[in-house]
Amino acid sequence: PDSDISEMRRPNKTIGLAIVVIVIITAIFIYLSYLCHKDFENAAIARTQEELLTIAKSTAADMEGFISILQREAKILANEPTVQKEIKERVRQTKSHICPIKIFYIAHQNKVDALTMFDANGIILHRHPFWRDHKDRLNSDFSDKPGVAYVKREHKPYVSEVFQNNLGEPAISITEPVFDKEQFIGMVRWMITIDKIAKRFVQPVKVGKKGFVWLLDERGILLVYPDADRINTHLLKSGKERFPDHDWSELKNII
C-alpha cells in the first residue's frame, strides 16, 4: 500500500538529512581545525623568522662594533706624535725598532692580521708582523691597494670592500689618514682576513641543530659557508642553478 511506502521513506529521509548534517559539521570542524593549524603554523614561522633575524642582527652588530673599535684605535694611532714624527722623517723599520705601530699590533694581534704605516704616497714605512723578506718589501708601493688609494686621494678614513690580500686570502682593510696639523702626511692601515672575522663572529653561532650563519660580501659572493665548495660563488647564481624553480626575489632585494 502507498501508506506503507511513505512510512518507509521517512526514515530514509531522516538518515539522509542526518548524514548531510554530519558531513557539514565535519567539514566545518576540519575547516576550523585547518584555520587553527594555519594560524599556529604562521605564528611559528613568524616567531622563527624573528629569532633568525635577531641572530643575524646580533652577529652583524658584533662585527660592526669590532670594526668601529679598530677604526677608533687607528684614529688614536694616527694622532700619536711619534707616528707623525716617524712619517715626516721617513724613519724605516728594523727588527729591533720599537714604535707605536708594533705596540698596537701586539695588542691586537689576535684580532687582526697586519698593521702598516705609509707615507703620503702609499709607500710602506713600517709593517707588523715583520716580513721575512722585509728588505725586498720595504718601500713597496701600496697606493693602488684597497683603502690606501681612497685615503691618499680623499684624506678621509675608509673601510674597504672585500679584496684578495698578497696571500690570496679574502680580507678587508681599515685605513686612517695621518696629518701634521692640517697637512696630510701618511696613513695607518689595519688588515683583517675574512677567516679571522669568521672564526671570531660567524662560526661560533649555532642555530638549532643544523642552522648556521652565512657571510656574504656586498656583491652576494659567499665568504663563509659550511659547504666549502660553495665559498667564493655567487649566492643567487649558484642557488638558481641548484633550485631553478625557487623564488629568489626576496634574497635578491636583500643583497
Side-chain angles (χ1 to χ4, degrees), residues 82-83 85-99 101 116-128 130-131 134-142:
T82 304
V83 170
K85 180 181 178 181
E86 294 199 356
I87 291 178
K88 286 191 295 183
E89 297 179 359
R90 300 188 62 79
V91 176
R92 303 294 181 179
Q93 179 182 6
T94 63
K95 287 186 177 180
S96 59
H97 180 71
I98 302 294
C99 73
I101 297 293
T116 310
M117 183 171 79
F118 305 90
D119 67 12
N121 295 315
I123 305 300
I124 292 179
L125 299 176
H126 294 258
R127 199 264 193 189
H128 287 280
F130 203 85
W131 277 317
H134 186 71
K135 290 183 179 179
D136 297 330
R137 298 213 190 187
L138 196 63
N139 299 323
S140 294
D141 185 352
F142 268 49

Side-chain angles (χ1 to χ4, degrees), residues 55-73:
I55 292 170
K57 284 183 176 180
S58 176
T59 304
D62 288 343
M63 293 174 61
E64 290 168 0
F66 170 70
I67 297 299
S68 295
I69 290 171
L70 290 179
Q71 284 182 292
R72 186 167 63 247
E73 294 289 290

Side-chain angles (χ1 to χ4, degrees), residues 214 216-221 234-237 248-255:
W214 306 356
L216 299 88
D217 70 7
E218 73 283 357
R219 299 165 297 168
I221 302 297
H234 194 281
L235 177 62
L236 285 179
K237 184 177 180 181
W248 294 93
S249 58
E250 289 188 10
L251 188 58
K252 184 178 180 180
N253 289 335
I254 291 173
I255 294 175

